[in-house]
Amino acid sequence: MTSLGRGASVALTDLEKSYDRVAAVAGVSLDIRSGEFLTLLGPSGSGKTTTLMMIAGFETPTAGDIAIDGTSVVGMPPYRRNIGMVFQNYALFPHLTVEENIGFPLKQRGMPKPERAKLVGEALELVHLPGYGGRYPRQLSGGQQQRVALARAIVFKPRLLLMDEPLGALDKQLRENLQLEMRRLHADLGITFIYVTHDQEEALTMSDRIAVMNDGLVAQVGSPEDLYDRPSSRFVAAFIGESNFLPATVRGMEDDVVVAECEGAIVRAICPGRPASGDRVLLTTRPERLRFTDGAWSSSAPQNRMNVTVTEAVFAGERCRYMLQAADGTAMVLKEPSSAAIRRRAVGERTEIAWSVADTILV
Ligand code: ADP
Ligand code: MG
């Protein structure tokens, strides 16, 4: 037998699930590495829960394969897969104490009481709830209940933990605290986490890699930086963070850089493929990467430049947000950190903006 890490590897191959011939999952292939924190991110209805349920064994694939540590688990009942699972709505047993809730999976596996007590104690420590064992779920806050659900999911030392929007019911502050705790727990346990969320900020904060889902398919897989800096499609660029989109016409290539005409200006962009001269394409860039050229700013990197008019100016505390309009009418957003030392722009002002070629992507 080959030596395995503490975390399971999961391979999804052409995975499909249809209900009444409508595909909830339409052909997902994804390799999740041992010990990885992988997030399925996508809008509501994109197939995240269905994918997770098939991995857990609560739904049967219509087609395709799921392998855990290299062995197909299709047809294996959920309890034999040894996977921990946390849902959005806690799903604690209301009539059992915290200790009994957490010990439940161990009791199911026939573990004797003294051994059970030891593992339950350890799990309570891991989720920062020692001393809460005798309480009932109704005596706990939402955040505490979710910690108990988490403890119950890891108490039997699974090699894979699945979580479906586990923080969705909590308020923002608590959610952010628990996000950090989940990351810590992931580092401590060293097991594989597959996490589902529709919240792009949460996905960016927590994940080693993110698989962006749309209409039952994986649109792109990569690290948070990959997805934010190098989105491969308009969907990903728009779903993760905020993006400007510039329609352009290709005029040529300079090595891996595409030269395009856009709003009367020549704009250069990073381009994975090789579009032909005359092709109509879409370029994208992030609002915080744009700068006013007459501001306190300089860069030695190659820049794109464009003349614009300010159409809206909003002071939003830590940053100022400007709506700009280019010559042919394309709207763009520019965000800059607010500072008493930076001149505020007025609506109607005509000015020039610049941004790096490296921050301009053809999607
Ligand atoms: P997500 O978790 O990304 O919001 P789901 O996996 O829950 O998406 O659902 C994907 C699609 O499959 C949705 O259109 C949903 O309505 C449909 N679907 C999910 N479960 C069922 C079911 N049991 N019966 C019929 N349609 C379903
Ligand atoms: Mg869901």
Side-chain angles (χ1 to χ4, degrees):
M1 197 175 135
T2 54
S3 76
L4 298 169
R6 273 186 288 171
S9 68
V10 181
L12 310 180
T13 311
D14 301 324
L15 194 60
E16 290 180 32
K17 178 72 188 182
S18 299
Y19 298 101
D20 303 325
R21 275 184 241 153
V22 178
V25 174
V28 163
S29 294
L30 193 59
D31 279 312
I32 300 152
R33 300 162 192 154
S34 164
E36 183 169 39
F37 193 132
L38 181 121
T39 298
L40 301 177
L41 170 69
S44 176
S46 58
K48 306 181 297 294
T49 294
T50 306
T51 302
L52 214 61
M53 286 301 180
M54 287 192 281
I55 298 172
F58 297 118
E59 293 282 3
T60 307
T62 310
D65 191 40
I66 303 166
I68 298 183
D69 289 328
T71 304
S72 176
V73 295
V74 174
M76 186 188 281
Y79 66 89
R80 283 197 49 217
R81 299 188 189 195
N82 212 35
I83 296 173
M85 179 117 200
V86 182
F87 304 91
Q88 178 172 349
N89 56 356
Y90 321 137
L92 298 175
F93 302 111
H95 60 288
L96 298 184
T97 63
V98 165
E99 256 164 12
E100 289 164 344
N101 263 285
I102 299 174
F104 188 81
L106 303 176
K107 200 171 174 181
Q108 266 188 319
R109 286 165 169 76
M111 186 182 281
K113 203 167 179 182
E115 237 179 303
R116 236 157 56 203
K118 178 172 165 287
L119 289 182
V120 168
E122 283 173 14
L124 275 172
E125 295 245 340
L126 268 172
V127 299
H128 294 316
L129 282 179
Y132 283 75
R135 295 210 197 179
Y136 286 89
R138 64 173 182 278
Q139 298 171 308
L140 301 176
S141 70
Q144 289 168 334
Q145 288 184 51
Q146 198 52 301
R147 283 168 208 255
V148 174
L150 199 53
R152 186 179 57 183
I154 59 175
V155 72
F156 55 93
K157 301 193 187 300
R159 302 179 66 238
L160 173 61
L161 180 63
L162 308 181
M163 288 177 275
D164 194 353
E165 313 239 5
L167 309 181
L170 306 174
D171 64 49
K172 188 172 157 65
Q173 185 80 53
L174 194 54
R175 217 162 57 218
E176 285 173 0
N177 291 341
L178 274 169
Q179 282 168 11
L180 295 177
E181 279 195 39
M182 298 260 215
R183 272 230 60 103
R184 174 192 55 80
L185 195 65
H186 175 255
D188 287 354
L189 295 174
I191 66 173
T192 309
F193 279 26
I194 305 179
Y195 190 93
V196 161
T197 183
H198 65 268
D199 180 335
Q200 48 106 7
E201 220 173 290
E202 184 163 297
L204 290 173
T205 312
M206 299 175 78
S207 322
D208 294 325
R209 283 195 308 156
I210 300 169
V212 181
M213 291 194 68
N214 186 29
D215 282 341
L217 292 169
V218 173
Q220 190 175 358
V221 194
S223 68
E225 292 86 349
D226 284 339
L227 298 183
Y228 192 82
D229 287 342
R230 287 173 295 281
S232 64
S233 62
R234 181 182 185 134
F235 175 80
V236 173
F239 192 72
I240 298 189
E242 196 175 5
S243 288
N244 291 305
F245 292 105
L246 298 166
T249 305
V250 175
R251 292 293 176 229
M253 295 290 294
E254 291 171 355
D255 297 322
D256 289 342
V257 171
V258 64
V259 183
E261 197 176 326
C262 167
E263 299 282 346
I266 289 295
V267 170
R268 289 176 169 76
I270 305 297
C271 174
R274 295 200 73 82
S277 270
D279 280 1
R280 298 286 296 158
V281 294
L282 200 61
L283 309 181
T284 184
T285 183
R286 301 289 184 184
E288 77 278 11
R289 312 265 163 106
L290 304 181
R291 299 283 180 269
F292 293 110
T293 52
D294 62 355
W297 166 85
S298 77
S299 170
S300 55
Q303 299 290 311
N304 291 315
R305 288 166 177 271
M306 192 173 279
N307 291 313
V308 295
T309 305
V310 176
T311 58
E312 205 179 299
V314 178
F315 172 75
E318 68 184 67
R319 50 176 76 229
C320 293
R321 181 189 163 85
Y322 296 100
M323 286 296 292
L324 311 172
Q325 198 168 47
D328 294 337
T330 298
M332 298 171 83
V333 178
L334 179 153
K335 290 182 190 167
E336 76 180 354
S338 66
S339 158
I342 297 179
R343 183 171 72 81
R344 299 274 153 72
R345 311 287 160 160
V347 171
E349 186 176 329
R350 284 154 175 272
T351 183
E352 190 194 39
I353 57 169
W355 68 97
S356 290
V357 171
D359 289 329
T360 319
I361 312 294
L362 188 148
V363 287

